[in-house]
């Protein structure tokens, strides 16, 4: 038997998610709901109206089912409850921004130099943070290692989110009218 192709696999991307969150966003409708709720507080009816604009035609009960799954996964939460004339209206929001896009074919070629030089600098900072997150060793070494990696990624993820969100709000405040 001769080998026709062999390529070493180098990990260059890690997704942080638990199984509930992964299952929640695997459904296209729930992914859309997550995007719709970014920086908004909407009711199930309002979410349904937003989905209808994208061609989604389902019942309100189906939307509520999707909202329950997203809530259980921790990706959305109840952010406001209003009482009006004896009825209760629930508003949902999210603290998660879902970045979903198609990577262009020339991405690696186009950004290889920037990624290589910048990631080297960031690696040094990450190593320092990593040393601080290593906790007590428990009996299950692999579980402890995975937890420490998850913790490190959460620290970095939240820091990146703070930087990106603050730069987004600064850009929207400083936009010059055309």
């Amino acid at each position: 038997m001769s080998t026709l192709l062999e390529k070493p696999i180098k990990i260059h991307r890690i997704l942080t998610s638990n199984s509930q969150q992964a299952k929640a966003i695997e459904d296209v409708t729930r992914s859309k709901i997550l995007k719709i709720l970014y920086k908004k507080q909407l009711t199930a009816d309002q979410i349904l109206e937003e989905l209808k604009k994208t061609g989604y035609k389902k019942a309100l009960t189906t939307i509520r089912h999707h909202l329950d799954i997203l809530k259980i996964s921790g990706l959305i939460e109840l952010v406001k409850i209003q009482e009006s004339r004896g009825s209760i209206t629930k508003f949902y929001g999210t603290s998660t921004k879902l970045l979903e896009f198609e990577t262009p074919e020339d991405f690696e070629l186009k950004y290889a130099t920037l990624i290589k030089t910048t990631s080297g600098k960031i690696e040094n900072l990450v190593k320092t943070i990593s040393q601080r997150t290593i906790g007590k060793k428990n009996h299950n070494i692999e579980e402890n290692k995975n937890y420490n990696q998850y913790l490190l990624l959460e620290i970095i993820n939240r820091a990146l989110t703070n930087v990106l969100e603050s730069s987004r709000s600064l850009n929207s405040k400083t936009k010059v009218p055309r």
Side-chain angles (χ1 to χ4, degrees):
M1 180 190 296
S2 61
T3 303
L4 299 177
L5 173 70
E6 185 171 1
K7 178 181 174 184
I9 298 173
K10 183 177 182 202
I11 303 296
H12 66 272
R13 180 172 295 111
I14 297 174
L15 301 174
T16 59
S17 176
N18 62 40
S19 59
Q20 275 187 322
Q21 291 169 343
K23 286 177 186 174
I25 62 172
E26 79 179 347
D27 183 280
V28 176
T29 303
R30 292 191 288 266
S31 294
K32 286 181 181 183
I33 290 171
L34 201 56
K35 288 180 192 174
I36 288 169
L37 286 176
Y38 177 68
K39 299 259 182 168
K40 294 179 184 173
Q41 296 180 358
L42 299 174
T43 65
D45 290 320
Q46 291 169 327
I47 292 167
L48 179 59
E49 289 305 313
E50 290 294 316
L51 286 169
K52 282 182 181 177
K53 292 176 186 176
T54 65
Y56 184 85
K57 294 178 176 95
K58 296 287 182 181
L60 183 58
T61 55
T62 304
I63 299 305
R64 287 193 173 117
H65 169 72
H66 289 306
L67 290 171
D68 285 341
I69 291 170
L70 288 166
K71 221 170 31 172
I72 290 167
S73 73
L75 293 171
I76 69 168
E77 57 191 292
L78 202 53
V79 293
K80 180 168 57 172
I81 299 175
Q82 283 184 338
E83 188 270 327
S84 176
R85 297 182 185 154
S87 73
I88 295 194
T89 305
K90 297 177 182 178
F91 290 80
Y92 300 90
T94 184
S95 59
T96 301
K97 180 178 183 178
L98 180 62
L99 296 175
E100 182 182 49
F101 57 92
E102 295 294 322
T103 306
E105 287 183 27
D106 65 344
F107 179 81
E108 291 295 327
L109 181 64
K110 193 173 183 178
Y111 296 105
T113 305
L114 175 66
I115 290 169
K116 185 176 181 180
T117 57
T118 307
S119 64
K121 295 172 185 176
I122 295 171
E123 277 179 42
N124 292 329
L125 176 63
V126 170
K127 284 177 186 174
T128 303
I129 296 169
S130 179
Q131 290 169 353
R132 292 181 183 174
T133 61
I134 296 172
K136 297 177 182 175
K137 302 289 183 205
N138 64 17
H139 293 84
N140 188 338
I141 294 170
E142 191 61 31
E143 183 179 305
N144 193 52
K145 179 182 170 190
N146 287 342
Y147 179 78
N148 287 335
Q149 290 175 352
Y150 178 80
L151 176 60
L152 176 64
L153 284 168
E154 274 303 301
I155 292 167
I156 293 165
N157 187 331
R158 290 182 191 199
L160 279 171
T161 301
N162 289 339
V163 168
L164 295 174
E165 289 300 300
S166 66
S167 69
R168 181 176 183 258
S169 65
L170 286 175
N171 288 339
S172 65
K173 289 178 185 175
T174 59
K175 281 188 180 174
V176 179
R178 294 182 189 192

